[in-house]
Amino acid sequence: MDDLVINSIDLFVKNWGSKHTMTPIPLDDITELEQKLSACLPESYKYLLATYGLVHSPNVLTTLCDLNVEISDVQDFLSLDDVFSLSQLYQMSGMPKGYAVFASDVKGNMFCFKLSDCQQKQNDMAVWFYDYGLCTVNKVSHSFSAWLAQFNALVD
C-alpha cells in the first residue's frame, strides 16, 4: 500500500473519528472474516481495522448538511460479526447478491465491497452504496481510500 492510501485513512480517522477509544482488530480475526465471506478484503480497509478498529464518525452528517454537500454520510464501520451477518440479512431483505457490507449511514443504508472484486488480494477497491429504501446498489468511489478522501476534503 502506498503512503497516499495510508495518509488518507489516517487523516479520515483524525478528522472524523469520534473521541471514544477505538480498539484495533487482530489480523487473525480479519482473516477469519475473509474465510467466512470467501473473499479477499482490500488491504486499505484491513489497515483501517487493524490500526484503529471500528470508526464511529457522527460529525460527517452535520458537516454535509452545513456545507450542503450531496454525498452519502458514513456513520459507523461495522463489527466483523455484523459484516458477515448483515451482508446475509440485507440480501434476504432485497439487496442484490454479491456484496459485503462494511459501514452504514444514519438511515440504515450500507457501504459495501462487491464480492466479485474480492477474488484476489488488492490494496484498494471500489466502494458501493446500497440504498435500503430503493433496493439499489451504486458505485460511489473507485477505491476505499478515495471514498475516505472525499470526506477529508470537506475539512481542508
Side-chain angles (χ1 to χ4, degrees), residues 42-120:
E43 295 300 311
S44 53
Y45 170 67
K46 294 192 295 189
Y47 169 82
L48 173 81
L49 295 178
T51 306
Y52 297 104
L54 305 177
V55 180
H56 176 64
S57 52
N59 296 325
V60 169
L61 179 61
T62 305
T63 301
L64 291 174
C65 290
D66 289 349
L67 298 174
N68 198 25
V69 176
E70 292 287 326
I71 55 176
S72 298
D73 67 288
V74 60
Q75 178 149 340
D76 288 300
F77 283 80
L78 304 175
S79 72
L80 300 187
D81 288 340
D82 283 350
V83 167
F84 184 72
S85 62
L86 290 179
S87 292
Q88 293 180 323
L89 184 65
Y90 271 67
Q91 285 178 18
M92 289 189 292
S93 65
M95 184 174 79
K97 292 191 183 319
Y99 294 89
V101 302
F102 68 85
S104 65
D105 71 4
V106 296
K107 299 176 191 165
N109 300 309
M110 292 288 171
F111 295 94
C112 337
F113 297 119
K114 194 173 195 176
L115 290 174
S116 62
D117 294 344
C118 300
Q119 297 310 303
Q120 57 193 8

Side-chain angles (χ1 to χ4, degrees), residues 3-43:
D3 288 343
L4 214 55
V5 170
I6 291 170
N7 289 341
S8 180
I9 295 165
D10 293 344
L11 189 58
F12 177 82
V13 173
K14 179 180 175 248
N15 287 338
W16 300 107
S18 69
K19 301 304 177 207
H20 77 278
T21 304
M22 294 177 276
T23 305
I25 296 173
L27 283 172
D28 288 347
D29 293 353
I30 299 168
T31 300
E32 185 180 318
L33 172 63
E34 289 180 306
Q35 290 168 347
K36 283 182 182 177
L37 292 171
S38 299
C40 296
L41 296 169
E43 295 300 311

